[in-house]
Amino acid sequence: MNQPNKNNRQNQDQRRSNRPLNWMSKYVETLLKYATVFSALIVLVLFGFLTYFTLPLFAEGQITELFSLHWRPFHGEFGILPMIAGTLALAISALLIAYPLGLGICLFVHGLGPRWLARPILLLIHGMTGIPTVVYGFVAVFLLVPLLRNNFSHGSGFSLLAASLTLSILILPTIVLLINSQLEQIVPKLRLTTTALGISRIHELTRISLPAASYGLLAAAILGFGRAVGDTLIALMVAGNAAQIPGSAFDSIRTLTAHIALVVATDSQSTTYHSLFACGLILFLTTASVNLLLHRIKHRACRETNYE
Amino acid sequence: MRHGLLPGLFFTVFLMFFYTLPAASEELDRLAGLKGKIDIAGGTAHIPVMKDAARHIMTKYPQITITVAGGGSGVGIQKVAEGLVDIGNAGRPISAKEREKYPRLRSFPFAVDGVAPAVNPANIVSELTSIQIQNIFSGKINNWKDVGGDDAEIHIYNRDEASGTRSVFWKKCLNKGAVVESANIVASNGAMKVAVSQDRYALGYMSIGHLDNTVKALGLDGVAPTQENAINGHYPIVRKLFMNTNGAPAPLVKAFIDYVMSSEGAANISNHGYIPLQ
């Protein structure tokens, strides 16, 4: 007689304590669902708007002119190919400088360098993420650009080289932190085994840890590239902004982002202005594909390896 | 950039208060009894004049708030026409297309600004002809020794398409001629001054109002780019600066425009190197 009664009360207690929790979790779930839909919608709306504003170009048959080699808006030429080339040249060269450097820093931190230096270096890199872009740009304008101008006979210093050196410092933390986060998961698990097997640090890192961290390595490259493509201020301040296909590292170049920033203040009824939306669309698609690529790699990496 | 903006803003506000000088005059009386807010945006050449006027007004009449932002001539016209600001500044007249889309816009020209070719103070060249400048910008001449300077490459600095300064220089000095694609592009009069003052072999151009001793203005066809020569018509590269409103301005905005065009406003305009229109 006593037993079922007690059970009953226990059940009741449980239900009572569960009720607000259930309610809360349901509430939060719906909230999150709406937030997700909302964010996704914003991206779609953005895409829609960019496409919509690019439409006048199609209507006026000027879309083919976008893919010409010359940007001379006052002569009816709206070629954005020089800007696309400039963006790619800058992003790739910045990545070529920053990536090996970032990888080196990670290897140094994870065993090639003295242990006491590892933390200060990582702290420094973390600190670098907080430095505003404009500071790098400013320092580059007053130090790096005159240095390049005075030491090389060609060009004014505002160049692909100056911009890629500055940009590489900007994207370095992204690369280091991504590779590092992957290595931090892998290295401690392998270290005991590899040490027991008598494998040297260099061998362990280059033959075992790095191949195992392939996802992080690739993700760092892709995100670094995305960051480099998306940055505006450094290109605007340091690259010189000449709308030409870069022929050498000392040439002045213009990126898509800097191009938008420079031209956005023009007469908003002109073709010049509408052509900017095409630039925006290209940038949007680039970053979107970078993210999709990243997503796929992550997916595959999760399926293949099982480092938790 | 996100981090950089806020401190900069605070700093600007701080400077605005710090350098506020008391100014008393009858010209300001036209704003007596009015209150509210005026938002101003647009051309960057206007900013020093607008800021000074705003400072004087806000010191005497704290119930009036005036904000001054940049953006460029095109942005100024668009913002005022869409009702986002009360006054949209432009360093060029309203274009035919803009006029068509926004027929209600009213323009108030208030100053004349000259645009001068400029080089680094260390450059021994102090004068060029317009033909020489056209040849340099089109790439036919690319060494300073061909125009009487050192044996060094000429570094051309140009402005973006949105610039009213570029527009007048291109029309009245370059004769709408071609400009080499390798020319560097800078985004404002201020950035142009920094670039030219840093680069010994630079050739650029800027609003006369922005000239100071960090750069050297070049004589053009034997005429020095001074306010006097711009007023008497000898110096050819000049343009008007406009304030634009959407329809007839509200009383407060009207009073502000009248103040800028008053004798005290004119003194303010001259102080910044522009020539007041009255």
Side-chain angles (χ1 to χ4, degrees):
Chain A
M1 210 53 203
N2 215 359
Q3 199 64 19
N5 203 2
K6 203 178 171 188
N7 245 349
N8 206 5
R9 187 186 282 170
Q10 230 169 17
N11 267 348
Q12 246 174 8
D13 279 354
Q14 219 164 18
R15 223 177 296 149
R16 200 172 298 150
S17 63
N18 265 354
R19 204 176 295 141
L21 231 159
N22 263 338
W23 182 80
M24 268 295 274
S25 75
K26 212 167 239 172
Y27 182 74
V28 167
E29 205 184 300
T30 347
L31 201 77
L32 286 177
K33 210 183 276 170
Y34 279 116
T36 315
V37 172
F38 185 68
S39 322
L41 266 182
I42 285 183
V43 177
L44 281 180
V45 165
L46 199 65
F47 180 71
F49 262 103
L50 284 172
T51 321
Y52 176 76
F53 281 112
T54 320
L55 281 182
L57 284 175
F58 284 99
E60 289 163 36
Q62 270 152 333
I63 196 77
T64 47
E65 277 164 35
L66 280 185
F67 296 96
S68 101
L69 289 173
H70 300 287
W71 170 257
R72 296 182 192 128
F74 297 104
H75 300 278
E77 287 183 84
F78 302 97
I80 56 173
L81 284 184
M83 278 60 100
I84 295 176
T87 301
L88 288 178
L90 179 58
I92 291 171
S93 58
L95 198 61
L96 283 180
I97 300 168
Y99 197 79
L101 203 61
L103 193 60
I105 290 174
C106 284
L107 295 183
F108 188 86
V109 166
H110 282 282
L112 291 193
R115 256 174 109 158
W116 59 270
L117 252 177
R119 273 204 71 73
I121 286 181
L122 280 178
L123 267 175
L124 186 75
I125 300 275
H126 263 289
M128 281 170 74
T129 57
I131 298 177
T133 330
V134 69
V135 172
Y136 289 126
F138 212 66
V139 171
V141 166
F142 285 96
L143 293 177
L144 181 62
V145 170
L147 193 79
L148 291 179
R149 174 161 54 225
N150 297 333
N151 288 301
F152 298 95
S153 64
H154 177 62
S156 61
F158 292 98
S159 56
L160 174 59
L161 182 62
S164 56
L165 285 172
T166 317
L167 197 57
S168 64
I169 295 177
L170 181 80
I171 63 173
L172 187 66
T174 310
I175 293 169
V176 170
L177 294 180
L178 252 165
I179 300 180
N180 180 54
S181 71
Q182 185 92 9
L183 285 181
E184 262 174 358
Q185 290 172 11
I186 293 168
V187 170
K189 282 187 188 145
L190 298 177
R191 183 129 303 165
L192 197 65
T193 323
T194 51
T195 314
L197 290 172
I199 298 172
S200 74
R201 276 285 141 84
I202 300 175
H203 259 78
E204 178 220 302
L205 283 170
T206 54
R207 301 283 156 84
I208 301 165
S209 299
L210 278 188
S214 61
Y215 159 65
L217 291 177
L218 218 75
I222 292 171
L223 263 184
F225 181 78
R227 183 92 212 269
V229 166
D231 182 75
T232 312
L233 208 62
I234 284 179
L236 190 63
M237 289 176 84
V238 182
N241 299 319
Q244 58 176 348
I245 302 271
S248 89
F250 299 104
D251 275 356
S252 169
I253 61 146
R254 188 189 294 192
T255 63
L256 281 170
T257 47
H259 180 62
I260 295 177
L262 276 175
V263 183
V264 76
T266 44
D267 175 358
S268 60
Q269 303 306 308
S270 60
T271 315
T272 315
Y273 188 77
H274 291 302
S275 77
L276 291 185
F277 289 99
C279 298
L281 196 63
I282 292 173
L283 275 174
F284 181 87
L285 291 176
T286 312
T287 31
S289 35
V290 161
N291 281 321
L292 281 179
L293 201 65
L294 206 66
H295 185 74
R296 288 208 47 157
I297 292 165
K298 197 173 185 175
H299 225 68
R300 197 180 300 164
C302 284
R303 243 185 296 144
E304 282 173 6
T305 53
N306 200 18
Y307 297 104
E308 274 162 27
Chain B
M1 204 171 145
R2 220 171 35 226
H3 302 271
L5 207 61
L6 212 61
L9 210 70
F10 278 124
F11 188 60
T12 313
V13 170
F14 171 76
L15 279 185
M16 275 173 65
F17 281 110
F18 197 74
Y19 286 103
T20 297
L21 301 165
S25 79
E26 308 85 70
E27 300 290 1
L28 277 170
D29 291 346
R30 70 185 78 236
L31 287 125
L34 294 170
K35 60 178 171 186
K37 194 171 180 219
I38 309 177
D39 290 319
I40 303 173
T44 52
H46 306 56
I47 291 177
V49 175
M50 295 292 137
K51 279 207 165 143
D52 259 11
R55 208 179 61 201
H56 287 140
I57 292 170
M58 288 192 286
T59 313
K60 185 149 186 207
Y61 301 110
Q63 72 275 23
I64 299 174
T65 312
I66 302 173
T67 68
V68 181
S73 299
V75 169
I77 290 172
Q78 195 183 6
K79 274 194 166 172
V80 72
E82 301 285 359
L84 298 173
V85 295
D86 304 298
I87 297 177
N89 289 324
R92 58 170 174 78
I94 294 166
S95 76
K97 275 189 173 172
E98 282 163 343
R99 177 67 65 208
E100 194 181 302
K101 177 146 190 227
Y102 309 117
R104 277 164 51 74
L105 283 180
R106 298 237 326 239
S107 282
F108 299 87
F110 67 98
V112 171
D113 174 26
V115 177
V119 295
N120 190 277
N123 198 323
I124 56 171
V125 176
S126 60
E127 204 173 288
L128 289 173
T129 65
S130 38
I131 302 293
Q132 280 173 325
I133 293 182
Q134 284 162 23
N135 283 337
I136 291 171
F137 272 82
S138 66
K140 286 195 198 98
I141 299 176
N142 54 27
N143 197 304
W144 279 110
K145 72 169 191 247
D146 296 330
V147 291
D150 298 341
D151 181 9
E153 194 182 39
I154 300 175
H155 302 150
I156 305 170
Y157 291 86
N158 198 3
R159 288 284 307 278
D160 53 278
E161 283 81 15
S163 160
T165 313
R166 187 209 58 80
S167 168
V168 62
F169 188 78
W170 182 62
K171 271 182 207 142
K172 297 189 176 168
C173 184
L174 299 182
N175 230 339
K176 299 195 176 187
V179 175
V180 282
E181 284 176 340
S182 59
N184 287 323
I185 311 281
V186 291
S188 68
N189 273 306
M192 178 67 92
K193 191 160 75 182
V194 170
V196 173
S197 66
Q198 287 240 312
D199 186 347
R200 197 173 166 187
Y201 296 114
L203 174 63
Y205 53 87
M206 65 195 78
S207 155
I208 290 181
H210 279 82
L211 289 173
D212 61 17
N213 56 11
T214 62
V215 292
K216 183 165 80 174
L218 291 180
L220 182 73
D221 298 320
V223 182
T226 58
Q227 280 198 54
E228 296 75 54
N229 285 335
I231 294 170
N232 63 28
H234 291 157
Y235 188 75
I237 317 174
V238 290
R239 58 155 169 181
K240 281 183 187 169
L241 300 181
F242 299 86
M243 291 181 274
N244 299 294
T245 59
N246 199 11
L252 178 61
V253 177
K254 176 83 172 64
F256 176 82
I257 293 173
D258 287 345
Y259 172 71
V260 170
M261 300 215 226
S262 70
S263 59
E264 194 181 307
N268 170 23
I269 292 168
S270 306
N271 277 345
H272 289 289
Y274 304 116
I275 303 138
L277 271 179
Q278 271 175 319

Coordinates of all heavy atoms in Angstrom, one line a residue, chain A residues 94-141:
Chain A
A94 N 50.3 36.6 -50.4 CA 50.3 36.7 -49.0 C 50.2 35.4 -48.3 O 50.9 35.1 -47.3 CB 49.1 37.5 -48.5
L95 N 49.5 34.4 -48.9 CA 49.4 33.1 -48.3 C 50.7 32.4 -48.5 O 51.2 31.7 -47.5 CB 48.3 32.3 -49.1 CG 47.8 31.1 -48.4 CD1 47.1 31.4 -47.1 CD2 46.8 30.4 -49.3
L96 N 51.4 32.6 -49.6 CA 52.7 32.0 -49.8 C 53.7 32.4 -48.8 O 54.7 31.7 -48.4 CB 53.2 32.3 -51.2 CG 52.6 31.5 -52.4 CD1 53.2 31.9 -53.7 CD2 52.8 30.0 -52.1
I97 N 53.6 33.7 -48.3 CA 54.5 34.2 -47.3 C 54.1 33.7 -45.9 O 54.9 33.2 -45.1 CB 54.6 35.7 -47.3 CG1 55.1 36.2 -48.7 CG2 55.5 36.2 -46.2 CD1 54.9 37.7 -48.9
A98 N 52.8 33.8 -45.6 CA 52.3 33.6 -44.3 C 52.3 32.1 -43.9 O 52.5 31.7 -42.8 CB 51.0 34.2 -44.1
Y99 N 51.9 31.2 -44.9 CA 51.7 29.9 -44.6 C 52.9 29.1 -44.1 O 52.9 28.5 -43.1 CB 51.1 29.1 -45.8 CG 50.4 27.8 -45.5 CD1 49.2 27.8 -44.9 CD2 51.1 26.6 -45.6 CE1 48.6 26.6 -44.5 CE2 50.5 25.4 -45.3 CZ 49.2 25.4 -44.7 OH 48.7 24.3 -44.3
P100 N 54.0 29.2 -44.9 CA 55.2 28.5 -44.4 C 55.7 29.0 -43.0 O 56.1 28.3 -42.1 CB 56.3 28.8 -45.4 CG 55.5 29.2 -46.6 CD 54.3 29.8 -46.1
L101 N 55.5 30.3 -42.9 CA 55.9 31.0 -41.6 C 55.0 30.5 -40.5 O 55.5 30.1 -39.4 CB 55.7 32.5 -41.7 CG 56.4 33.4 -40.8 CD1 57.9 33.2 -41.0 CD2 56.1 34.9 -41.1
G102 N 53.7 30.4 -40.7 CA 52.8 29.9 -39.7 C 53.0 28.4 -39.4 O 53.0 28.1 -38.2
L103 N 53.3 27.6 -40.4 CA 53.6 26.2 -40.2 C 54.8 26.1 -39.3 O 54.9 25.3 -38.4 CB 53.8 25.5 -41.5 CG 53.8 24.0 -41.5 CD1 52.5 23.5 -41.0 CD2 54.0 23.5 -42.9
G104 N 55.9 26.9 -39.7 CA 57.1 26.9 -38.9 C 56.9 27.2 -37.4 O 57.4 26.5 -36.5
I105 N 56.1 28.2 -37.2 CA 55.8 28.6 -35.8 C 55.1 27.5 -35.1 O 55.4 27.2 -33.9 CB 54.9 29.9 -35.8 CG1 55.7 31.1 -36.3 CG2 54.3 30.2 -34.4 CD1 54.9 32.4 -36.5
C106 N 54.2 26.8 -35.7 CA 53.5 25.7 -35.1 C 54.4 24.6 -34.7 O 54.3 24.0 -33.7 CB 52.4 25.2 -36.0 SG 50.9 26.3 -36.0
L107 N 55.3 24.2 -35.7 CA 56.3 23.2 -35.4 C 57.2 23.6 -34.3 O 57.5 22.8 -33.4 CB 57.1 22.8 -36.7 CG 56.3 22.3 -37.8 CD1 57.2 21.9 -39.0 CD2 55.5 21.0 -37.3
F108 N 57.6 24.8 -34.3 CA 58.5 25.4 -33.2 C 57.8 25.2 -31.9 O 58.4 24.7 -30.9 CB 58.7 26.8 -33.5 CG 59.8 27.5 -32.6 CD1 61.1 27.4 -32.9 CD2 59.4 28.1 -31.5 CE1 62.1 28.0 -32.1 CE2 60.4 28.7 -30.6 CZ 61.7 28.6 -31.0
V109 N 56.5 25.6 -31.8 CA 55.8 25.5 -30.6 C 55.6 24.1 -30.1 O 55.6 23.8 -28.9 CB 54.4 26.3 -30.8 CG1 53.5 26.0 -29.6 CG2 54.6 27.8 -30.9
H110 N 55.4 23.2 -31.1 CA 55.1 21.8 -30.7 C 56.3 20.9 -30.7 O 56.2 19.7 -31.0 CB 54.0 21.3 -31.6 CG 52.7 21.8 -31.3 ND1 51.9 21.3 -30.3 CD2 51.9 22.8 -31.8 CE1 50.8 21.9 -30.2 NE2 50.8 22.8 -31.1
G111 N 57.4 21.4 -30.3 CA 58.5 20.5 -30.1 C 59.8 20.8 -30.7 O 60.9 20.4 -30.2
L112 N 59.9 21.6 -31.7 CA 61.2 21.9 -32.3 C 61.9 23.0 -31.5 O 63.1 23.0 -31.5 CB 61.0 22.4 -33.8 CG 60.5 21.3 -34.8 CD1 60.7 21.8 -36.2 CD2 61.3 20.0 -34.6
G113 N 61.1 23.9 -30.9 CA 61.8 24.9 -30.1 C 61.8 24.6 -28.6 O 61.2 23.6 -28.2
P114 N 62.4 25.4 -27.8 CA 62.4 25.2 -26.4 C 61.0 25.3 -25.8 O 60.2 26.2 -26.3 CB 63.4 26.3 -25.9 CG 63.5 27.3 -26.9 CD 63.2 26.6 -28.2
R115 N 60.7 24.5 -24.8 CA 59.3 24.5 -24.3 C 58.9 25.8 -23.7 O 57.7 26.2 -23.8 CB 59.2 23.4 -23.2 CG 58.5 22.2 -23.8 CD 58.6 21.1 -22.8 NE 57.3 20.9 -22.2 CZ 57.0 19.8 -21.6 NH1 57.9 18.8 -21.5 NH2 55.8 19.6 -21.0
W116 N 59.8 26.5 -23.0 CA 59.4 27.7 -22.3 C 59.0 28.8 -23.2 O 58.4 29.8 -22.9 CB 60.6 28.2 -21.3 CG 61.9 28.4 -22.1 CD1 62.9 27.6 -22.3 CD2 62.3 29.7 -22.6 NE1 63.9 28.1 -23.0 CE2 63.5 29.5 -23.2 CE3 61.7 31.0 -22.7 CZ2 64.2 30.5 -23.9 CZ3 62.4 32.0 -23.4 CH2 63.7 31.7 -24.0
L117 N 59.4 28.7 -24.5 CA 59.1 29.7 -25.5 C 57.7 29.5 -26.1 O 57.1 30.5 -26.7 CB 60.2 29.8 -26.6 CG 61.1 30.9 -26.6 CD1 62.2 30.8 -27.7 CD2 60.4 32.3 -26.7
A118 N 57.2 28.3 -26.0 CA 56.0 28.0 -26.7 C 54.8 28.9 -26.3 O 54.1 29.5 -27.1 CB 55.6 26.5 -26.4
R119 N 54.6 29.0 -25.0 CA 53.5 29.8 -24.5 C 53.6 31.3 -24.9 O 52.6 31.9 -25.4 CB 53.3 29.7 -23.0 CG 52.4 28.5 -22.6 CD 51.8 28.7 -21.2 NE 50.7 29.7 -21.2 CZ 49.5 29.5 -21.8 NH1 49.3 28.3 -22.4 NH2 48.6 30.4 -21.7
P120 N 54.7 31.9 -24.6 CA 54.8 33.3 -25.0 C 54.6 33.6 -26.5 O 53.9 34.5 -26.9 CB 56.3 33.7 -24.7 CG 56.7 32.7 -23.7 CD 55.9 31.5 -23.9
I121 N 55.0 32.7 -27.3 CA 54.8 32.8 -28.8 C 53.3 32.7 -29.1 O 52.8 33.6 -29.8 CB 55.6 31.7 -29.6 CG1 57.1 32.1 -29.5 CG2 55.1 31.6 -31.0 CD1 57.9 31.2 -30.3
L122 N 52.7 31.7 -28.5 CA 51.2 31.6 -28.8 C 50.4 32.8 -28.3 O 49.5 33.2 -28.9 CB 50.7 30.3 -28.2 CG 51.0 29.0 -29.0 CD1 50.4 27.8 -28.3 CD2 50.4 29.2 -30.4
L123 N 50.9 33.3 -27.1 CA 50.2 34.5 -26.5 C 50.4 35.6 -27.5 O 49.4 36.4 -27.7 CB 50.8 34.8 -25.2 CG 50.1 34.2 -24.0 CD1 50.9 34.5 -22.7 CD2 48.7 34.8 -23.9
L124 N 51.6 35.8 -28.0 CA 51.8 36.9 -28.9 C 50.9 36.8 -30.2 O 50.3 37.8 -30.6 CB 53.3 36.8 -29.4 CG 53.8 38.0 -30.2 CD1 54.0 39.2 -29.4 CD2 55.1 37.6 -30.9
I125 N 50.8 35.5 -30.7 CA 50.0 35.3 -31.9 C 48.5 35.6 -31.5 O 47.8 36.3 -32.3 CB 50.1 33.9 -32.4 CG1 51.6 33.6 -32.7 CG2 49.2 33.6 -33.5 CD1 52.0 34.0 -34.1
H126 N 48.1 35.2 -30.4 CA 46.7 35.5 -29.9 C 46.5 37.0 -29.9 O 45.5 37.5 -30.3 CB 46.4 34.9 -28.6 CG 45.7 33.6 -28.6 ND1 44.4 33.5 -29.0 CD2 46.2 32.3 -28.4 CE1 44.1 32.2 -29.0 NE2 45.1 31.5 -28.6
G127 N 47.5 37.7 -29.3 CA 47.5 39.1 -29.2 C 47.4 39.8 -30.6 O 46.7 40.8 -30.7
M128 N 48.0 39.2 -31.6 CA 48.0 39.8 -32.9 C 46.6 39.8 -33.5 O 46.3 40.7 -34.3 CB 49.0 39.0 -33.9 CG 50.4 39.3 -33.7 SD 51.4 38.2 -34.6 CE 51.2 38.7 -36.3
T129 N 45.8 38.9 -33.1 CA 44.4 38.9 -33.7 C 43.7 40.1 -33.3 O 42.7 40.5 -34.0 CB 43.6 37.6 -33.2 OG1 43.6 37.7 -31.8 CG2 44.2 36.4 -33.7
G130 N 44.0 40.7 -32.2 CA 43.3 41.9 -31.8 C 43.8 43.2 -32.3 O 43.1 44.2 -32.1
I131 N 44.9 43.2 -33.1 CA 45.4 44.5 -33.6 C 44.5 44.9 -34.8 O 44.3 44.1 -35.7 CB 46.8 44.3 -34.1 CG1 47.7 43.9 -32.8 CG2 47.4 45.6 -34.7 CD1 49.1 43.7 -33.2
P132 N 44.0 46.1 -34.8 CA 43.2 46.5 -35.9 C 44.0 46.6 -37.2 O 45.2 47.0 -37.2 CB 42.7 47.9 -35.5 CG 43.1 48.1 -34.1 CD 44.2 47.1 -33.8
T133 N 43.3 46.3 -38.3 CA 44.0 46.3 -39.6 C 44.6 47.6 -39.9 O 45.7 47.7 -40.5 CB 42.9 46.0 -40.7 OG1 41.9 45.2 -40.2 CG2 43.6 45.3 -41.9
V134 N 43.9 48.7 -39.5 CA 44.4 50.0 -39.9 C 45.8 50.3 -39.3 O 46.6 51.0 -39.9 CB 43.4 51.1 -39.5 CG1 43.3 51.3 -38.0 CG2 43.7 52.4 -40.2
V135 N 46.1 49.7 -38.2 CA 47.4 49.9 -37.6 C 48.5 49.3 -38.5 O 49.5 49.9 -38.8 CB 47.5 49.2 -36.2 CG1 48.9 49.3 -35.6 CG2 46.5 49.9 -35.2
Y136 N 48.3 48.1 -39.0 CA 49.2 47.4 -39.9 C 49.4 48.3 -41.1 O 50.5 48.6 -41.6 CB 48.7 46.1 -40.3 CG 48.8 45.0 -39.3 CD1 47.7 44.3 -38.9 CD2 50.0 44.7 -38.6 CE1 47.7 43.3 -38.0 CE2 50.0 43.8 -37.6 CZ 48.9 43.0 -37.3 OH 48.9 42.1 -36.4
G137 N 48.2 48.8 -41.6 CA 48.3 49.6 -42.9 C 49.1 50.9 -42.6 O 49.9 51.3 -43.5
F138 N 48.8 51.5 -41.5 CA 49.5 52.8 -41.2 C 51.0 52.6 -41.1 O 51.8 53.3 -41.7 CB 48.9 53.3 -39.9 CG 48.9 54.8 -39.8 CD1 48.1 55.5 -40.7 CD2 49.7 55.5 -38.9 CE1 48.1 56.9 -40.6 CE2 49.7 56.8 -38.9 CZ 48.9 57.6 -39.7
V139 N 51.4 51.6 -40.3 CA 52.8 51.3 -40.2 C 53.5 51.0 -41.5 O 54.5 51.5 -41.8 CB 53.0 50.1 -39.2 CG1 54.5 49.6 -39.2 CG2 52.6 50.5 -37.8
A140 N 52.7 50.2 -42.3 CA 53.3 49.9 -43.6 C 53.5 51.1 -44.5 O 54.5 51.2 -45.2 CB 52.4 48.9 -44.3
V141 N 52.5 52.0 -44.5 CA 52.6 53.2 -45.3 C 53.8 54.1 -44.9 O 54.5 54.6 -45.7 CB 51.3 54.1 -45.2 CG1 51.6 55.5 -45.7 CG2 50.2 53.4 -45.9

